[in-house]
Amino acid sequence: MKYVLTTGCSFTNNLRLNPDDVNQLDENRLSWPYYLQQESGDEYKVLNYGGATNDNVSMCRIQLYHIDRLIKEGVNPNDISIITQWSDSNRSSI
């Protein structure tokens, strides 16, 4: 299995992961990572970690955390890709 980790702000957020069931789908909240999964096929698992109000620093932390988590779970780093929908450079967390 290959993984594509996605993150971004609310434009990415529309379909969030349910931590208890990553296969749960709310068809009223589909966003671009959902369609990426449809185009990528069964060889890839697209994981959407987008969140409303995410700033670029938060997006980096989210990606690094989940890359590290997958590697610790035994996933080969070569099987992990990331896509980040960057926010405005002036947006920051407080």
Side-chain angles (χ1 to χ4, degrees), residues 8-11 51-57 59 85-93:
C9 63
S10 58
F11 292 107
T53 74
N54 275 354
D55 63 277
N56 292 333
V57 172
M59 291 179 217
Q85 177 256 306
W86 298 109
S87 186
D88 186 272
S89 60
N90 295 319
R91 187 179 207 173
S92 61
S93 293

Side-chain angles (χ1 to χ4, degrees), residues 11-62:
F11 292 107
T12 303
N13 179 58
N14 292 341
L15 180 62
R16 292 297 304 263
L17 290 176
N18 177 341
D20 299 320
D21 182 3
V22 295
N23 296 311
Q24 180 179 344
L25 178 65
D26 178 351
E27 297 198 18
N28 294 316
R29 302 183 63 181
L30 303 179
S31 60
W32 64 266
Y34 169 81
Y35 297 102
L36 178 61
Q37 177 67 71
Q38 299 308 302
E39 293 296 320
S40 300
D42 294 336
E43 183 182 354
Y44 292 87
K45 179 72 177 174
V46 177
L47 302 174
N48 181 0
Y49 295 106
T53 74
N54 275 354
D55 63 277
N56 292 333
V57 172
S58 296
M59 291 179 217
C60 288
R61 288 180 180 151
I62 290 166

